[in-house]
Amino acid sequence: MSVSIDNFLKNIYLLNQETAGAVTSSNLAGRLEVSVAAVTDMARKLGKQGLVDYKPYKALNLTERGNELALKIIRKHRLWELFLHQVLGLDLLSVHQEAERLEHHTSDELMNHISRFLGHPDFDPHGDPIPGIGGDVPSEKGVIPLTEILENQQCIVKKLRYRNSETSDMYDRYGLMTGLVLRVIRVFPFDGSIEVKYEDGSEVVLSGKLASNVFCVRK
Amino acid sequence: MSVSIDNFLKNIYLLNQETAGAVTSSNLAGRLEVSVAAVTDMARKLGKQGLVDYKPYKALNLTERGNELALKIIRKHRLWELFLHQVLGLDLLSVHQEAERLEHHTSDELMNHISRFLGHPDFDPHGDPIPGIGGDVPSEKGVIPLTEILENQQCIVKKLRYRNSETSDMYDRYGLMTGLVLRVIRVFPFDGSIEVKYEDGSEVVLSGKLASNVFCVRK
DNA sequence: TTTTTATTTTAAGGTTGCTTAAACTTGTTA
DNA sequence: TAACAAGTTTAAGCAACCTTAAAATAAAAA
């Protein structure tokens, strides 16, 4: 299984999750940073191999086998992230970049060693679920965007979406991290921004866009 | 830097060390498991890039820059080996196979984290020296083959050469590992085999060939 | 319904790292 | 010294994965 195929399958899966909609060639091409033609080629090829359900001009879907492979890669990615963060102390941004490469070059055996070392964890340091060996994805029941928390309710941050250099800076600026306890003070309908209070008593206003990427459970 | 180039440089370095002689295209081809023609191609290409000193029909040598790169890869390989063995408990054979892939996909930064985590070690679990960030190779002064130890002398095993499924089985069979203390009881000049005594009092005879791959320091 | 626009596919071609087979060097042997 | 054997290089070609540009299709607007 080549790195290209790995990434192709993985990103169909992720794109499907994130947008909850049809995965198009151009979406995927943008995400993989290759031409749309390259996506068509690969889709047809993996269609023949029974990993992707490919019909010309139609949305891309994984077959059951394709899904299994995608989950395997994602398992490796997220276990590496947690390991590098927890054991070696890498920051959340580096952790993603390293995992992005290591995930393709790690045997199932090594990954299981790492999983055992970590106590078979369910979530990575970004709050994303780590698929099990059998492909079962830990449930994120009750995890909702911060924007759905009502005024005066408390919640615990579970997940910060889309970690990249831009969002990472924002998260750091506001001290947002998984496990943080917040109370929603006010919601401003005007622009969707949300005023929250930290446990230490300090208060800040988060933009609606930022808040929609912060996921939490009600307390 | 591609995996192929990494491996090309690394194996010129290692072959040079091991045979202490000229590295030929066919030697290298055998080791890399590619055709001789592929080696010629790559040699010419890396010659142009200033990483290999290439002259047609002559032995292959690394330039200074090529040497630096080779040492960087070897550093990564050996740090991974030690880490996987010491921290995750993988056996010495798996450790090599995993490192063989991970070495090409690990950033310098991650490697430095691992090195720090391990306390900047000097030797990997096979007893091979781990090059430093600056490319300095820890000295193996006083490390000699077991065949050079005289009768009735004691020594400490420092290194078991050529770990593969064949040798590994032998090493396991005789309980040979780095750190082991041995006393040479008798040398049989007939076939070069050597009788040794373990610390627990048990005695075995090692073949001359096996003994020549066991390296140690006098005690 | 026809036309326009956006998206997708096809076609042709490039690069990398490999292959086999033929041609060529080199060094040794007769 | 001529010829041979071993080893090396060159030549031609292949597969994977990508590119750009032209052709085809689908979906939306007129």
Side-chain angles (χ1 to χ4, degrees):
Chain A
M1 197 69 33
S2 80
V3 174
S4 288
I5 295 177
D6 279 4
N7 280 332
F8 194 89
L9 298 175
K10 181 181 77 165
N11 283 289
I12 291 178
Y13 181 96
L14 292 176
L15 213 43
N16 208 33
Q17 293 280 307
E18 287 168 17
T19 67
V23 176
T24 67
S25 307
S26 39
N27 282 343
L28 193 51
R31 204 173 157 114
L32 294 171
E33 300 189 281
V34 299
S35 67
V36 184
V39 169
T40 301
D41 267 10
M42 186 65 93
R44 192 151 19 81
K45 173 177 149 187
L46 296 188
K48 279 184 198 148
Q49 294 185 23
L51 298 173
V52 167
D53 183 12
Y54 174 66
K55 282 172 196 129
Y57 297 103
K58 291 281 187 291
L60 295 166
N61 284 292
L62 295 175
T63 63
E64 196 175 321
R65 272 185 54 223
N67 211 272
E68 282 166 17
L69 288 180
L71 285 174
K72 256 189 158 170
I73 305 293
I74 291 169
R75 169 176 161 81
K76 288 179 183 177
H77 181 98
R78 291 181 179 165
L79 278 171
W80 268 122
E81 287 197 334
L82 186 59
F83 186 81
L84 296 177
H85 184 62
Q86 219 168 69
V87 180
L88 294 176
L90 270 71
D91 66 87
L92 291 183
L93 192 53
S94 314
V95 138
H96 175 77
Q97 293 161 350
E98 300 286 347
E100 199 66 20
R101 311 179 62 205
L102 295 175
E103 61 185 5
H104 309 295
H105 305 284
T106 310
S107 71
D108 292 354
E109 291 70 42
L110 172 52
M111 225 55 250
N112 293 343
H113 271 269
I114 289 179
S115 178
R116 190 181 325 137
F117 185 89
L118 295 170
H120 301 297
D122 280 338
F123 296 93
D124 76 11
H126 302 111
D128 291 315
I130 301 172
I133 304 183
D136 48 303
V137 181
S139 135
E140 298 179 85
K141 211 166 36 147
V143 176
I144 52 178
L146 182 56
T147 50
E148 288 184 22
I149 305 292
L150 304 178
E151 287 187 356
N152 213 31
Q153 283 189 339
Q154 269 192 309
C155 66
I156 304 167
V157 175
K158 285 290 172 185
K159 182 167 167 175
L160 300 168
R161 194 158 65 174
Y162 300 136
R163 171 85 45 179
N164 58 39
S165 52
E166 275 180 33
T167 58
S168 237
D169 281 353
M170 290 288 282
Y171 295 146
D172 289 350
R173 164 66 183 78
Y174 290 108
L176 294 169
M177 59 184 72
T178 59
L180 189 71
V181 178
L182 296 176
R183 177 182 293 279
V184 172
I185 302 297
R186 269 178 86 184
V187 177
F188 297 97
F190 170 65
D191 63 356
S193 61
I194 294 174
E195 183 169 16
V196 297
K197 186 175 194 167
Y198 295 83
E199 277 191 302
D200 69 1
S202 60
E203 298 177 356
V204 297
V205 175
L206 308 176
S207 76
K209 181 166 182 191
L210 181 60
S212 70
N213 285 298
V214 175
F215 290 77
C216 54
V217 293
R218 289 201 181 80
K219 193 178 180 183
Chain B
M1 197 70 31
S2 80
V3 174
S4 288
I5 296 176
D6 279 4
N7 279 333
F8 194 88
L9 298 176
K10 180 180 78 165
N11 283 289
I12 291 179
Y13 182 96
L14 293 177
L15 213 43
N16 209 31
Q17 293 278 308
E18 287 168 19
T19 66
V23 176
T24 67
S25 305
S26 37
N27 282 344
L28 193 51
R31 203 174 159 114
L32 294 171
E33 300 189 281
V34 298
S35 68
V36 184
V39 168
T40 302
D41 266 10
M42 187 63 93
R44 191 150 19 79
K45 174 176 149 188
L46 296 188
K48 278 184 198 150
Q49 292 184 26
L51 298 174
V52 167
D53 183 12
Y54 174 66
K55 280 172 197 132
Y57 296 104
K58 291 282 188 293
L60 294 166
N61 284 292
L62 296 174
T63 62
E64 197 176 321
R65 271 184 56 222
N67 210 274
E68 282 166 17
L69 288 180
L71 286 173
K72 257 188 157 173
I73 305 295
I74 291 169
R75 169 176 162 80
K76 288 179 184 176
H77 181 98
R78 293 181 178 167
L79 278 171
W80 267 123
E81 286 198 333
L82 185 60
F83 185 81
L84 295 177
H85 184 62
Q86 219 168 70
V87 179
L88 294 176
L90 272 70
D91 66 88
L92 291 183
L93 192 54
S94 315
V95 137
H96 175 77
Q97 293 160 352
E98 299 287 347
E100 200 66 20
R101 312 180 62 206
L102 295 175
E103 62 184 4
H104 308 294
H105 306 283
T106 311
S107 71
D108 293 353
E109 291 70 41
L110 172 52
M111 226 53 251
N112 292 343
H113 271 269
I114 289 179
S115 178
R116 192 182 323 137
F117 185 89
L118 295 170
H120 301 297
D122 279 338
F123 295 94
D124 77 10
H126 302 111
D128 292 314
I130 301 172
I133 305 183
D136 47 303
V137 181
S139 134
E140 296 179 86
K141 213 166 33 146
V143 176
I144 52 179
L146 182 55
T147 50
E148 289 186 19
I149 305 293
L150 305 178
E151 287 187 354
N152 214 32
Q153 282 189 342
Q154 271 193 307
C155 65
I156 305 167
V157 175
K158 286 290 171 186
K159 181 166 168 177
L160 300 167
R161 194 158 64 173
Y162 300 136
R163 171 87 42 181
N164 59 39
S165 52
E166 276 179 31
T167 58
S168 238
D169 281 354
M170 290 288 281
Y171 294 147
D172 289 350
R173 164 66 183 77
Y174 290 107
L176 294 170
M177 59 183 72
T178 60
L180 188 71
V181 178
L182 296 176
R183 178 183 293 279
V184 172
I185 302 296
R186 269 179 88 185
V187 176
F188 297 97
F190 170 65
D191 63 356
S193 62
I194 295 174
E195 183 169 16
V196 296
K197 184 174 196 169
Y198 294 84
E199 277 191 303
D200 69 1
S202 59
E203 298 177 356
V204 297
V205 176
L206 308 176
S207 77
K209 181 166 182 190
L210 181 59
S212 71
N213 284 297
V214 176
F215 289 76
C216 56
V217 293
R218 289 199 180 81
K219 193 177 179 183

